[in-house]
Amino acid sequence: METKKDWYKDAVVYQIYPKSFCDSNGDGIGDFKGIISKLDYLKDLGVNTVWISPCYPTPDKDNGYDISDFDNVDPKFGTMEDFEEMLEEMHKRGIRLLMDLVVNHTSDEHEWFKSAIQGKDAKYRDYYIWKDPVNGGPPNKWGGDAIGGSAWIYDEKSGQYYLHVGFHYQPDLDWENPKVREEIANMINRWFDRGVDGFRCDVINMISKDFDAPHPGDGPRLHEFLHELYEKCFKPHNAFTVGEVWDLPPEDSLMLTHPDRGELTLAFQFEHMRVGREDGKRFYPAEFKPHDFVDVLAKWQKGLNGEGWNALCMENHDQPRCLNRFGNTGKYRRESAKMLATLLYCQQGTPFLYEGQELGCINPIFHTLEESIDIESCNNQDILVKKFGVEETLRRFSFDSRDCGRVPMAWDDSENGGFTTGKPWIKLNDFYKDINAKNELAAADGVYGYYKNLFKVRAANKTLMRGDFELLKNADGEVVFRRFLEGEKDVYVVLNYSEKKIKVNKPCKGGKLMLSTHQRKRLDENMTLKPYEAMIVEA
Ligand code: GLC
Ligand code: CA
């Protein structure tokens, strides 16, 4: 495949959660052959890059984010040959593959940790972070995954603590150890040798730690470690890397991604995910204000402008469906799905979408506590039940649990939604008979078709692909922004982020309608926009 330098700017990235995408052999778990069978579906949508959530061997306590062997694939997904076939089939279609790189920690069942826990003299002891007790307790106050718990686990045998900043079975690797960094760089290069094109880098700002800081992550050697990986791995392979980092302002995000620095290509920002949550906290819904949502997005457009590049994302495997959070799941499901796509993907940056988002999927409903199986929900369950009772806890899980997007992809309205012929590993979405790929593709006003047209319009327009961004209006549901690029015509995006009809003016003199969510035929001086109506206009 051609290796244009800035290929990430032309990418449309589709995230596959492999367990839930498509099952080819009836064991209830998605797999590589299942993915191969859907590549034409992705190609047709306009996707040219896939990010696959971890598919390495794993005890699966965190759905693969607990890796026990970096160099293989988990047999539940198929063999290494199946993986290679999948990659080849992607490349044949001009689709590149980003793997998930989870190197802040391993599973506690990784060979390195199984050795390390044997004692102070064990071969791989120094691959992990061990500390003596301080005043008879953990070395610092960092919190762990269990509410009120510590990030440090005491090991009776050696009398030392080891660190896990993620879940308790995810011990942190010691990046201060040059051997660890070398192992990881070599491992990354082996995946490049197998042909992968880049990586999504899990909780990557955690790899350097300052033990005196109030929170782990963003330690003093973060940039040095990333630059080392860049020189050894990413640069020689012209790779596209995107970091998962939380709660960094644009200035700090640029420190990770500015092209002059040689670290990562992009970093996600999740600030807009905080809108509609009390203090940004999952399971604590607050009033959602579209105005604030748009403002945060615009802040990041401005913050990275001319120096960095946004990763445009509103769903992933850790987030519920965007329609439940930011749109409408009822009467205006399709309309709000299209409006949100227009709002997000007409900004400057690289689109990321999560499986099912292109169908306007909405969250399932969790009817019993047993149905909600994700570790983060389980960890929070007791507290929520104590505070709010079971019914309200279930309501909150159905609004905000990580399982919301992890239920099987619905391909059609047949039994098990065409995902599997067996028993799915997690419940189906309650709404799969209505909301599935077959229906969305067949409907004249389906969401899939709109996404497809949107990506087409975008790809063919230089201003939308590269231009700068300016927010012109964000009040009472009316949102207008402009994209501009030297030597090209301006592009205006006008949308109604409300359930009311609103009156708007034509955004510019003349103008040509490039795309409309509501089959609008022409532009008028004064227009009444229907609920969630959106349009793209070329000046
Ligand atoms: C990242 C992953 C999430 C995982 C966590 C711990 O945030 O996206 O799914 O649980 O890291 O590894
Ligand atoms: Ca399977």
Side-chain angles (χ1 to χ4, degrees):
M1 293 182 64
E2 46 109 31
T3 46
K4 220 173 90 197
K5 187 154 176 298
D6 285 346
W7 65 269
Y8 67 92
K9 289 189 176 171
D10 296 327
V12 173
V13 188
Y14 187 95
Q15 183 188 355
I16 290 181
Y17 201 62
K19 267 180 107 170
S20 302
F21 192 59
C22 182
D23 174 23
S24 73
N25 63 353
D27 65 356
I29 302 173
D31 47 49
F32 298 135
K33 288 217 186 295
I35 295 174
I36 295 174
S37 73
K38 300 297 181 189
L39 290 177
D40 289 332
Y41 166 93
L42 297 182
K43 171 91 192 155
D44 191 49
L45 180 61
V47 167
N48 59 18
T49 308
V50 162
W51 149 29
I52 186 170
S53 277
C55 52
Y56 314 94
T58 171
D60 231 356
K61 291 180 191 155
D62 190 19
N63 286 329
Y65 284 89
D66 46 332
I67 298 174
S68 54
D69 175 0
F70 286 122
D71 265 292
N72 276 300
V73 293
D74 196 286
K76 68 176 175 288
F77 296 128
T79 61
M80 188 55 102
E81 286 70 48
D82 297 334
F83 172 85
E84 281 165 357
E85 188 189 332
M86 175 186 80
L87 183 54
E88 202 184 306
E89 290 298 323
M90 286 179 175
H91 284 171
K92 259 192 216 162
R93 291 166 176 82
I95 297 175
R96 289 192 174 83
L97 179 64
L98 310 183
M99 296 287 275
D100 218 303
L101 185 71
V102 190
V103 288
N104 171 68
H105 51 263
T106 68
S107 156
D108 57 4
E109 293 183 33
H110 192 289
E111 288 305 319
W112 295 342
F113 191 74
K114 285 205 253 176
S115 152
I117 193 92
Q118 293 305 312
K120 286 186 176 168
D121 299 324
K123 181 161 177 216
Y124 292 106
R125 180 76 171 184
D126 61 358
Y127 275 37
Y128 295 87
I129 300 170
W130 297 90
K131 299 252 188 235
D132 291 329
V134 173
N135 302 325
N140 69 20
K141 292 200 159 58
W142 293 349
D145 57 335
I147 292 158
S150 168
W152 299 90
I153 292 183
Y154 186 64
D155 168 45
E156 295 273 342
K157 202 164 151 194
S158 62
Q160 288 192 309
Y161 283 92
Y162 67 86
L163 178 71
H164 70 92
V165 300
F167 296 106
H168 57 276
Y169 41 75
Q170 292 169 332
D172 281 48
L173 287 165
D174 186 2
W175 277 69
E176 297 290 331
N177 181 346
K179 279 185 292 175
V180 167
R181 301 205 300 277
E182 197 184 319
E183 294 257 22
I184 288 170
N186 292 341
M187 175 274 287
I188 292 173
N189 282 336
R190 286 191 293 275
W191 282 102
F192 281 128
D193 291 344
R194 289 181 192 111
V196 312
D197 303 284
F199 291 91
R200 174 266 184 184
C201 310
D202 191 67
V203 291
I204 198 67
N205 57 326
M206 292 290 157
I207 60 176
S208 171
K209 286 143 181 124
D210 168 2
F211 294 96
D212 295 325
H215 301 288
D218 307 304
R221 297 184 71 190
L222 174 62
H223 299 292
E224 177 195 337
F225 293 162
L226 286 175
H227 187 64
E228 193 176 302
L229 285 186
Y230 177 79
E231 288 295 331
K232 283 188 180 167
C233 310
F234 304 145
K235 184 172 148 193
H237 294 95
N238 189 23
F240 173 2
T241 55
V242 52
E244 183 203 22
V245 294
W246 284 85
D247 300 331
L248 290 187
E251 313 81 86
D252 292 353
S253 178
L254 275 175
M255 293 287 282
L256 294 165
T257 59
H258 196 290
D260 295 346
R261 295 186 53 87
E263 295 183 27
L264 298 172
T265 318
L266 307 180
F268 289 114
Q269 66 86 6
F270 298 110
E271 197 177 338
H272 55 307
M273 295 294 181
R274 298 175 63 91
V275 182
R277 283 176 178 155
E278 209 178 286
D279 287 330
K281 254 169 61 190
R282 189 194 296 280
F283 304 128
Y284 291 84
E287 189 197 346
F288 174 74
K289 295 184 183 138
H291 170 271
D292 297 354
F293 183 71
V294 172
D295 251 12
V296 172
L297 291 170
K299 165 183 156 183
W300 279 85
Q301 288 290 305
K302 198 164 166 224
L304 301 191
N305 187 40
E307 308 203 59
W309 193 253
N310 270 279
L312 305 171
C313 170
M314 57 184 167
E315 277 190 18
N316 65 30
H317 66 292
D318 292 329
Q319 300 297 334
R321 293 298 182 181
C322 63
L323 300 186
N324 293 72
R325 294 279 325 274
F326 317 126
N328 180 291
T329 57
K331 193 169 163 199
Y332 299 117
R333 179 181 71 83
R334 282 185 174 141
E335 288 81 352
S336 67
K338 295 173 192 177
M339 182 283 292
L340 281 169
T342 315
L343 167 65
L344 190 67
Y345 301 134
C346 286
Q347 295 178 37
Q348 187 192 64
T350 297
F352 283 77
L353 66 154
Y354 178 75
E355 61 183 43
Q357 189 190 320
E358 76 283 12
L359 304 177
C361 279
I362 62 174
N363 291 349
I365 295 172
F366 295 101
H367 303 273
T368 63
L369 292 172
E370 290 69 41
E371 269 185 357
S372 173
I373 56 184
D374 176 47
I375 167 92
E376 193 172 346
S377 305
C378 295
N379 281 347
N380 280 279
Q381 183 171 306
D382 287 351
I383 295 245
L384 291 171
V385 169
K386 218 188 228 164
K387 263 194 182 158
F388 307 111
V390 173
E391 214 170 291
E392 175 61 16
T393 300
L394 287 170
R395 206 179 64 82
R396 288 174 187 230
F397 284 171
S398 307
F399 175 67
D400 220 354
S401 117
R402 302 200 303 176
D403 284 333
C404 292
R406 296 178 180 185
V407 296
M409 179 81 177
W411 295 101
D412 55 42
D413 57 5
S414 68
E415 207 188 337
N416 296 325
F419 162 72
T420 180
T421 53
K423 184 177 180 302
W425 69 275
I426 188 172
K427 70 171 255 165
L428 290 171
N429 196 314
D430 306 68
F431 306 103
Y432 83 90
K433 286 210 185 272
D434 290 325
I435 306 170
N436 59 59
K438 194 174 153 212
N439 279 358
E440 257 352 276
L441 262 79
D445 64 340
V447 178
Y448 180 97
Y450 184 80
Y451 264 75
K452 181 175 162 172
N453 286 337
L454 178 61
F455 290 144
K456 239 192 225 157
V457 164
R458 222 186 134 260
N461 185 284
K462 284 194 188 140
T463 308
L464 283 173
M465 291 297 282
R466 295 286 190 273
D468 286 353
F469 171 99
E470 184 189 10
L471 183 62
L472 300 173
K473 229 176 231 169
N474 179 20
D476 305 320
E478 182 183 358
V479 178
V480 183
F481 60 86
R482 176 173 84 103
R483 298 287 308 278
F484 57 101
L485 183 70
E486 219 189 298
E488 300 291 323
K489 286 179 181 155
D490 285 1
V491 173
Y492 290 85
V493 175
V494 181
L495 48 94
N496 177 0
Y497 202 153
S498 85
E499 287 173 22
K500 296 174 301 204
K501 286 185 186 165
I502 58 170
K503 286 199 162 60
V504 303
N505 297 325
K506 199 161 114 178
C508 53
K509 284 207 178 99
K512 185 181 113 205
L513 205 47
M514 294 169 76
L515 192 68
S516 151
T517 52
H518 284 65
Q519 281 99 39
R520 182 176 283 275
K521 290 284 172 303
R522 47 167 233 276
L523 289 166
D524 296 312
E525 282 313 318
N526 302 298
M527 296 178 280
T528 302
L529 299 192
K530 300 206 168 103
Y532 296 108
E533 180 171 352
M535 66 179 91
I536 310 175
V537 176
E538 189 174 56

PDB file of all heavy atoms in Angstrom, residues 44 78 139 153 159 166 179 184-185 220 270 275 300 310 327 339-340 369-370 402 410 461 468 481 499-500 522:
ATOM      1  N   ASP A  44     -17.567  -0.321   1.737  1.00  0.00           N
ATOM      2  CA  ASP A  44     -18.678   0.371   1.114  1.00  0.00           C
ATOM      3  C   ASP A  44     -19.093   1.620   1.914  1.00  0.00           C
ATOM      4  O   ASP A  44     -19.532   2.619   1.359  1.00  0.00           O
ATOM      5  CB  ASP A  44     -19.859  -0.601   0.997  1.00  0.00           C
ATOM      6  CG  ASP A  44     -20.951  -0.035   0.129  1.00  0.00           C
ATOM      7  OD1 ASP A  44     -20.614   0.427  -0.985  1.00  0.00           O
ATOM      8  OD2 ASP A  44     -22.122  -0.009   0.560  1.00  0.00           O
ATOM      9  N   GLY A  78      -9.382 -17.073  16.407  1.00  0.00           N
ATOM     10  CA  GLY A  78      -8.836 -17.799  15.262  1.00  0.00           C
ATOM     11  C   GLY A  78      -7.340 -18.007  15.433  1.00  0.00           C
ATOM     12  O   GLY A  78      -6.789 -17.740  16.499  1.00  0.00           O
ATOM     13  N   PRO A 139       2.719   2.419  49.465  1.00  0.00           N
ATOM     14  CA  PRO A 139       3.735   3.457  49.247  1.00  0.00           C
ATOM     15  C   PRO A 139       3.166   4.850  48.962  1.00  0.00           C
ATOM     16  O   PRO A 139       3.841   5.846  49.208  1.00  0.00           O
ATOM     17  CB  PRO A 139       4.504   2.971  48.028  1.00  0.00           C
ATOM     18  CG  PRO A 139       4.152   1.537  47.850  1.00  0.00           C
ATOM     19  CD  PRO A 139       2.860   1.286  48.529  1.00  0.00           C
ATOM     20  N   ILE A 153      -1.021  -3.537  45.606  1.00  0.00           N
ATOM     21  CA  ILE A 153      -1.432  -4.828  46.163  1.00  0.00           C
ATOM     22  C   ILE A 153      -0.260  -5.389  46.965  1.00  0.00           C
ATOM     23  O   ILE A 153       0.890  -5.427  46.482  1.00  0.00           O
ATOM     24  CB  ILE A 153      -1.842  -5.799  45.048  1.00  0.00           C
ATOM     25  CG1 ILE A 153      -3.134  -5.283  44.391  1.00  0.00           C
ATOM     26  CG2 ILE A 153      -2.065  -7.219  45.601  1.00  0.00           C
ATOM     27  CD1 ILE A 153      -3.702  -6.166  43.313  1.00  0.00           C
ATOM     28  N   GLY A 159       6.803  -9.388  51.028  1.00  0.00           N
ATOM     29  CA  GLY A 159       6.623  -8.229  51.904  1.00  0.00           C
ATOM     30  C   GLY A 159       6.662  -6.907  51.144  1.00  0.00           C
ATOM     31  O   GLY A 159       6.894  -5.849  51.725  1.00  0.00           O
ATOM     32  N   GLY A 166      -4.731   0.278  36.689  1.00  0.00           N
ATOM     33  CA  GLY A 166      -6.010  -0.139  36.089  1.00  0.00           C
ATOM     34  C   GLY A 166      -6.728  -1.067  37.048  1.00  0.00           C
ATOM     35  O   GLY A 166      -6.756  -0.849  38.256  1.00  0.00           O
ATOM     36  N   LYS A 179      15.174  -2.688  29.961  1.00  0.00           N
ATOM     37  CA  LYS A 179      14.870  -3.998  29.352  1.00  0.00           C
ATOM     38  C   LYS A 179      13.391  -4.073  28.955  1.00  0.00           C
ATOM     39  O   LYS A 179      13.037  -4.636  27.936  1.00  0.00           O
ATOM     40  CB  LYS A 179      15.194  -5.136  30.339  1.00  0.00           C
ATOM     41  CG  LYS A 179      16.676  -5.489  30.375  1.00  0.00           C
ATOM     42  CD  LYS A 179      16.934  -6.698  31.285  1.00  0.00           C
ATOM     43  CE  LYS A 179      16.675  -6.327  32.734  1.00  0.00           C
ATOM     44  NZ  LYS A 179      16.767  -7.402  33.706  1.00  0.00           N
ATOM     45  N   ILE A 184       9.371  -4.147  24.614  1.00  0.00           N
ATOM     46  CA  ILE A 184       8.154  -3.600  24.003  1.00  0.00           C
ATOM     47  C   ILE A 184       8.430  -3.080  22.599  1.00  0.00           C
ATOM     48  O   ILE A 184       7.673  -3.352  21.665  1.00  0.00           O
ATOM     49  CB  ILE A 184       7.528  -2.539  24.922  1.00  0.00           C
ATOM     50  CG1 ILE A 184       6.918  -3.269  26.130  1.00  0.00           C
ATOM     51  CG2 ILE A 184       6.460  -1.720  24.203  1.00  0.00           C
ATOM     52  CD1 ILE A 184       6.465  -2.405  27.240  1.00  0.00           C
ATOM     53  N   ALA A 185       9.547  -2.389  22.445  1.00  0.00           N
ATOM     54  CA  ALA A 185       9.881  -1.879  21.107  1.00  0.00           C
ATOM     55  C   ALA A 185      10.049  -3.037  20.133  1.00  0.00           C
ATOM     56  O   ALA A 185       9.540  -2.996  19.000  1.00  0.00           O
ATOM     57  CB  ALA A 185      11.151  -1.035  21.171  1.00  0.00           C
ATOM     58  N   PRO A 220       7.543  12.346  34.595  1.00  0.00           N
ATOM     59  CA  PRO A 220       8.609  13.167  34.017  1.00  0.00           C
ATOM     60  C   PRO A 220       9.245  12.588  32.751  1.00  0.00           C
ATOM     61  O   PRO A 220       9.824  13.318  31.958  1.00  0.00           O
ATOM     62  CB  PRO A 220       9.645  13.259  35.135  1.00  0.00           C
ATOM     63  CG  PRO A 220       9.324  12.150  36.081  1.00  0.00           C
ATOM     64  CD  PRO A 220       7.847  11.912  35.969  1.00  0.00           C
ATOM     65  N   PHE A 270     -11.353  13.489  25.528  1.00  0.00           N
ATOM     66  CA  PHE A 270     -12.654  13.002  25.973  1.00  0.00           C
ATOM     67  C   PHE A 270     -13.423  14.062  26.764  1.00  0.00           C
ATOM     68  O   PHE A 270     -14.339  13.735  27.504  1.00  0.00           O
ATOM     69  CB  PHE A 270     -12.489  11.738  26.815  1.00  0.00           C
ATOM     70  CG  PHE A 270     -11.861  10.587  26.068  1.00  0.00           C
ATOM     71  CD1 PHE A 270     -10.573  10.170  26.371  1.00  0.00           C
ATOM     72  CD2 PHE A 270     -12.551   9.941  25.052  1.00  0.00           C
ATOM     73  CE1 PHE A 270      -9.994   9.108  25.680  1.00  0.00           C
ATOM     74  CE2 PHE A 270     -11.977   8.884  24.351  1.00  0.00           C
ATOM     75  CZ  PHE A 270     -10.694   8.466  24.669  1.00  0.00           C
ATOM     76  N   VAL A 275     -19.664  16.128  29.315  1.00  0.00           N
ATOM     77  CA  VAL A 275     -20.904  16.911  29.274  1.00  0.00           C
ATOM     78  C   VAL A 275     -22.097  15.967  29.486  1.00  0.00           C
ATOM     79  O   VAL A 275     -22.173  14.911  28.863  1.00  0.00           O
ATOM     80  CB  VAL A 275     -21.038  17.647  27.915  1.00  0.00           C
ATOM     81  CG1 VAL A 275     -22.300  18.493  27.872  1.00  0.00           C
ATOM     82  CG2 VAL A 275     -19.804  18.512  27.649  1.00  0.00           C
ATOM     83  N   TRP A 300     -11.474  22.442  21.244  1.00  0.00           N
ATOM     84  CA  TRP A 300     -10.397  21.554  20.769  1.00  0.00           C
ATOM     85  C   TRP A 300     -10.015  21.850  19.328  1.00  0.00           C
ATOM     86  O   TRP A 300      -8.852  21.690  18.941  1.00  0.00           O
ATOM     87  CB  TRP A 300     -10.798  20.089  20.970  1.00  0.00           C
ATOM     88  CG  TRP A 300     -10.540  19.700  22.389  1.00  0.00           C
ATOM     89  CD1 TRP A 300     -11.371  19.887  23.448  1.00  0.00           C
ATOM     90  CD2 TRP A 300      -9.330  19.133  22.912  1.00  0.00           C
ATOM     91  NE1 TRP A 300     -10.761  19.460  24.598  1.00  0.00           N
ATOM     92  CE2 TRP A 300      -9.512  18.988  24.301  1.00  0.00           C
ATOM     93  CE3 TRP A 300      -8.121  18.729  22.350  1.00  0.00           C
ATOM     94  CZ2 TRP A 300      -8.522  18.454  25.128  1.00  0.00           C
ATOM     95  CZ3 TRP A 300      -7.143  18.191  23.165  1.00  0.00           C
ATOM     96  CH2 TRP A 300      -7.342  18.057  24.534  1.00  0.00           C
ATOM     97  N   ASN A 310      -7.149  16.823  15.260  1.00  0.00           N
ATOM     98  CA  ASN A 310      -8.082  16.177  16.175  1.00  0.00           C
ATOM     99  C   ASN A 310      -8.408  14.738  15.780  1.00  0.00           C
ATOM    100  O   ASN A 310      -8.456  14.400  14.600  1.00  0.00           O
ATOM    101  CB  ASN A 310      -9.391  16.973  16.218  1.00  0.00           C
ATOM    102  CG  ASN A 310      -9.382  18.035  17.302  1.00  0.00           C
ATOM    103  OD1 ASN A 310      -9.627  17.737  18.476  1.00  0.00           O
ATOM    104  ND2 ASN A 310      -9.063  19.272  16.935  1.00  0.00           N
ATOM    105  N   GLY A 327     -27.881  12.604  21.821  1.00  0.00           N
ATOM    106  CA  GLY A 327     -28.893  12.727  20.776  1.00  0.00           C
ATOM    107  C   GLY A 327     -30.258  12.309  21.291  1.00  0.00           C
ATOM    108  O   GLY A 327     -30.603  12.552  22.443  1.00  0.00           O
ATOM    109  N   MET A 339     -27.408  14.183  12.401  1.00  0.00           N
ATOM    110  CA  MET A 339     -26.965  15.516  12.818  1.00  0.00           C
ATOM    111  C   MET A 339     -25.639  15.414  13.565  1.00  0.00           C
ATOM    112  O   MET A 339     -24.698  16.165  13.304  1.00  0.00           O
ATOM    113  CB  MET A 339     -28.044  16.161  13.699  1.00  0.00           C
ATOM    114  CG  MET A 339     -27.747  17.560  14.169  1.00  0.00           C
ATOM    115  SD  MET A 339     -26.584  17.653  15.524  1.00  0.00           S
ATOM    116  CE  MET A 339     -27.532  16.917  16.846  1.00  0.00           C
ATOM    117  N   LEU A 340     -25.549  14.449  14.509  1.00  0.00           N
ATOM    118  CA  LEU A 340     -24.315  14.315  15.290  1.00  0.00           C
ATOM    119  C   LEU A 340     -23.124  13.968  14.394  1.00  0.00           C
ATOM    120  O   LEU A 340     -22.018  14.484  14.574  1.00  0.00           O
ATOM    121  CB  LEU A 340     -24.485  13.248  16.379  1.00  0.00           C
ATOM    122  CG  LEU A 340     -25.239  13.699  17.633  1.00  0.00           C
ATOM    123  CD1 LEU A 340     -25.576  12.503  18.519  1.00  0.00           C
ATOM    124  CD2 LEU A 340     -24.430  14.725  18.423  1.00  0.00           C
ATOM    125  N   LEU A 369     -29.300  -7.014  37.469  1.00  0.00           N
ATOM    126  CA  LEU A 369     -27.891  -6.701  37.731  1.00  0.00           C
ATOM    127  C   LEU A 369     -26.981  -7.753  37.094  1.00  0.00           C
ATOM    128  O   LEU A 369     -25.887  -7.437  36.625  1.00  0.00           O
ATOM    129  CB  LEU A 369     -27.642  -6.624  39.239  1.00  0.00           C
ATOM    130  CG  LEU A 369     -28.324  -5.437  39.937  1.00  0.00           C
ATOM    131  CD1 LEU A 369     -28.190  -5.553  41.452  1.00  0.00           C
ATOM    132  CD2 LEU A 369     -27.770  -4.095  39.462  1.00  0.00           C
ATOM    133  N   GLU A 370     -27.468  -8.981  37.007  1.00  0.00           N
ATOM    134  CA  GLU A 370     -26.647 -10.055  36.425  1.00  0.00           C
ATOM    135  C   GLU A 370     -26.372  -9.809  34.943  1.00  0.00           C
ATOM    136  O   GLU A 370     -25.379 -10.268  34.403  1.00  0.00           O
ATOM    137  CB  GLU A 370     -27.350 -11.433  36.553  1.00  0.00           C
ATOM    138  CG  GLU A 370     -27.441 -11.979  37.965  1.00  0.00           C
ATOM    139  CD  GLU A 370     -28.388 -11.174  38.845  1.00  0.00           C
ATOM    140  OE1 GLU A 370     -29.467 -10.782  38.357  1.00  0.00           O
ATOM    141  OE2 GLU A 370     -28.035 -10.911  40.015  1.00  0.00           O
ATOM    142  N   ARG A 402     -20.304   0.416  30.293  1.00  0.00           N
ATOM    143  CA  ARG A 402     -19.435   0.105  29.160  1.00  0.00           C
ATOM    144  C   ARG A 402     -20.012  -1.030  28.316  1.00  0.00           C
ATOM    145  O   ARG A 402     -19.656  -1.179  27.149  1.00  0.00           O
ATOM    146  CB  ARG A 402     -18.027  -0.259  29.650  1.00  0.00           C
ATOM    147  CG  ARG A 402     -17.382   0.841  30.484  1.00  0.00           C
ATOM    148  CD  ARG A 402     -15.879   0.717  30.547  1.00  0.00           C
ATOM    149  NE  ARG A 402     -15.427  -0.564  31.076  1.00  0.00           N
ATOM    150  CZ  ARG A 402     -14.156  -0.931  31.160  1.00  0.00           C
ATOM    151  NH1 ARG A 402     -13.198  -0.098  30.751  1.00  0.00           N
ATOM    152  NH2 ARG A 402     -13.809  -2.091  31.659  1.00  0.00           N
ATOM    153  N   ALA A 410     -25.732  -5.987  15.519  1.00  0.00           N
ATOM    154  CA  ALA A 410     -26.930  -6.591  14.938  1.00  0.00           C
ATOM    155  C   ALA A 410     -26.877  -6.458  13.421  1.00  0.00           C
ATOM    156  O   ALA A 410     -26.907  -5.351  12.892  1.00  0.00           O
ATOM    157  CB  ALA A 410     -28.175  -5.917  15.490  1.00  0.00           C
ATOM    158  N   ASN A 461     -13.863  16.846  -0.829  1.00  0.00           N
ATOM    159  CA  ASN A 461     -13.785  18.289  -0.624  1.00  0.00           C
ATOM    160  C   ASN A 461     -12.555  18.662   0.219  1.00  0.00           C
ATOM    161  O   ASN A 461     -12.451  18.290   1.384  1.00  0.00           O
ATOM    162  CB  ASN A 461     -15.072  18.761   0.065  1.00  0.00           C
ATOM    163  CG  ASN A 461     -15.112  20.259   0.198  1.00  0.00           C
ATOM    164  OD1 ASN A 461     -14.437  20.829   1.051  1.00  0.00           O
ATOM    165  ND2 ASN A 461     -15.871  20.916  -0.655  1.00  0.00           N
ATOM    166  N   ASP A 468      -9.452  24.985   8.036  1.00  0.00           N
ATOM    167  CA  ASP A 468      -9.572  25.433   9.423  1.00  0.00           C
ATOM    168  C   ASP A 468     -11.046  25.496   9.813  1.00  0.00           C
ATOM    169  O   ASP A 468     -11.931  25.432   8.960  1.00  0.00           O
ATOM    170  CB  ASP A 468      -8.945  26.820   9.572  1.00  0.00           C
ATOM    171  CG  ASP A 468      -7.431  26.722   9.537  1.00  0.00           C
ATOM    172  OD1 ASP A 468      -6.901  25.590   9.542  1.00  0.00           O
ATOM    173  OD2 ASP A 468      -6.779  27.783   9.478  1.00  0.00           O
ATOM    174  N   PHE A 481     -21.075  26.510  11.720  1.00  0.00           N
ATOM    175  CA  PHE A 481     -19.623  26.705  11.655  1.00  0.00           C
ATOM    176  C   PHE A 481     -19.138  26.734  10.227  1.00  0.00           C
ATOM    177  O   PHE A 481     -19.832  26.320   9.308  1.00  0.00           O
ATOM    178  CB  PHE A 481     -18.864  25.709  12.536  1.00  0.00           C
ATOM    179  CG  PHE A 481     -19.043  24.243  12.229  1.00  0.00           C
ATOM    180  CD1 PHE A 481     -18.250  23.609  11.272  1.00  0.00           C
ATOM    181  CD2 PHE A 481     -19.963  23.474  12.946  1.00  0.00           C
ATOM    182  CE1 PHE A 481     -18.385  22.245  11.026  1.00  0.00           C
ATOM    183  CE2 PHE A 481     -20.106  22.109  12.699  1.00  0.00           C
ATOM    184  CZ  PHE A 481     -19.316  21.489  11.736  1.00  0.00           C
ATOM    185  N   GLU A 499     -35.040  19.710  19.469  1.00  0.00           N
ATOM    186  CA  GLU A 499     -36.242  18.998  19.024  1.00  0.00           C
ATOM    187  C   GLU A 499     -37.313  19.956  18.536  1.00  0.00           C
ATOM    188  O   GLU A 499     -38.426  19.540  18.222  1.00  0.00           O
ATOM    189  CB  GLU A 499     -36.793  18.143  20.173  1.00  0.00           C
ATOM    190  CG  GLU A 499     -35.936  16.935  20.427  1.00  0.00           C
ATOM    191  CD  GLU A 499     -36.339  16.150  21.652  1.00  0.00           C
ATOM    192  OE1 GLU A 499     -37.504  16.276  22.085  1.00  0.00           O
ATOM    193  OE2 GLU A 499     -35.480  15.427  22.186  1.00  0.00           O
ATOM    194  N   LYS A 500     -36.966  21.238  18.532  1.00  0.00           N
ATOM    195  CA  LYS A 500     -37.935  22.221  18.050  1.00  0.00           C
ATOM    196  C   LYS A 500     -37.608  22.571  16.602  1.00  0.00           C
ATOM    197  O   LYS A 500     -36.492  22.355  16.140  1.00  0.00           O
ATOM    198  CB  LYS A 500     -37.838  23.513  18.882  1.00  0.00           C
ATOM    199  CG  LYS A 500     -38.202  23.335  20.345  1.00  0.00           C
ATOM    200  CD  LYS A 500     -37.934  24.625  21.095  1.00  0.00           C
ATOM    201  CE  LYS A 500     -36.469  25.003  20.953  1.00  0.00           C
ATOM    202  NZ  LYS A 500     -35.915  25.846  21.985  1.00  0.00           N
ATOM    203  N   ARG A 522     -33.278  22.955  -1.772  1.00  0.00           N
ATOM    204  CA  ARG A 522     -32.582  24.198  -2.106  1.00  0.00           C
ATOM    205  C   ARG A 522     -32.415  25.090  -0.880  1.00  0.00           C
ATOM    206  O   ARG A 522     -33.064  24.894   0.151  1.00  0.00           O
ATOM    207  CB  ARG A 522     -33.320  24.949  -3.217  1.00  0.00           C
ATOM    208  CG  ARG A 522     -34.817  25.094  -3.043  1.00  0.00           C
ATOM    209  CD  ARG A 522     -35.353  26.109  -4.019  1.00  0.00           C
ATOM    210  NE  ARG A 522     -36.119  27.104  -3.283  1.00  0.00           N
ATOM    211  CZ  ARG A 522     -37.409  26.921  -2.942  1.00  0.00           C
ATOM    212  NH1 ARG A 522     -38.038  25.804  -3.290  1.00  0.00           N
ATOM    213  NH2 ARG A 522     -38.044  27.845  -2.257  1.00  0.00           N
TER     214      ARG A 522
END
